[in-house]
Amino acid sequence: MSGVAINSSDFLVGIVVGENATTWPLALTENGGASWVTQQSYSTTDYTAALVSSYVAPANETITVTATQADGSLFGANVIRFSGSGGIGASNKAQGSSGSPSVSLTTTQANSAIVVVCGDWNAVSGTQTFTNNFSGTPTALTDYPGDGAAYGVAIAYFPDAGAAGSKTVGMSAP
């Protein structure tokens, strides 16, 4: 992502997902600096590696965000911008070797946004279908369901999760 104007106090959520643990370390930089704060990371042999980080704009600025990984393996990245946000609250991660992915967290403020990232080592192909246990509609940011060979990744966000409290997000397909 390059040449994007952001405002003072905007929150960015940066996501990098790689095809397996050999892609570690994954990294995000903003205009060449290491100003990102890791919110969650996951890496295990023969499974997907993921890094979710946040950045708070100290002033109005035009930024370039660079995603990198260590070894030339397949990887991808996305950055989500939130303006007028109260900040980063709760985060959580879960992993499993089969079945539909899901993770629970407790939001700390009403009307929180939730970002969900699913990395799939099995590269299952099909339409991405996100799930949740609250009255919210996800905005899908990826359409890479997997190619049956390398890896798949799904990223979405729920702009308003309603009242503060326990939430569960995940996927029912592919």
Side-chain angles (χ1 to χ4, degrees):
M1 179 177 94
S2 62
V4 176
I6 61 174
N7 299 317
S8 178
S9 300
D10 279 357
F11 284 85
L12 303 182
V13 175
I15 300 150
V16 186
V17 179
E19 69 177 322
N20 63 47
T22 65
T23 60
W24 207 260
L26 300 167
L28 282 169
T29 56
E30 180 269 323
N31 292 347
S35 52
W36 290 83
V37 175
T38 298
Q39 298 298 319
Q40 293 291 337
S41 64
Y42 176 76
S43 178
T44 190
T45 304
D46 295 332
Y47 289 98
T48 305
L51 172 69
V52 179
S53 299
S54 62
Y55 173 77
V56 181
N60 293 349
E61 62 181 322
T62 299
I63 66 167
T64 297
V65 177
T66 304
T68 58
Q69 53 79 22
D71 72 353
S73 296
L74 298 172
F75 81 105
N78 203 322
V79 176
I80 307 163
R81 173 184 173 187
F82 294 96
S83 295
S85 170
I88 303 295
S91 68
N92 200 5
K93 65 182 174 184
Q95 62 272 345
S97 59
S98 65
S100 297
S102 70
V103 64
S104 296
L105 69 119
T106 301
T107 57
T108 59
Q109 299 290 322
N111 310 110
S112 293
I114 296 176
V115 176
V116 59
V117 180
C118 295
D120 179 14
W121 169 254
N122 291 319
V124 174
S125 184
T127 302
Q128 295 177 350
T129 305
F130 294 90
T131 61
N132 58 295
N133 70 343
F134 52 91
S135 177
T137 303
T139 299
L141 298 176
T142 55
D143 191 20
Y144 181 64
D147 60 6
Y151 81 115
V153 63
I155 302 169
Y157 73 95
F158 294 84
D160 185 344
S166 179
K167 312 291 181 196
T168 301
V169 295
M171 295 184 75
S172 61

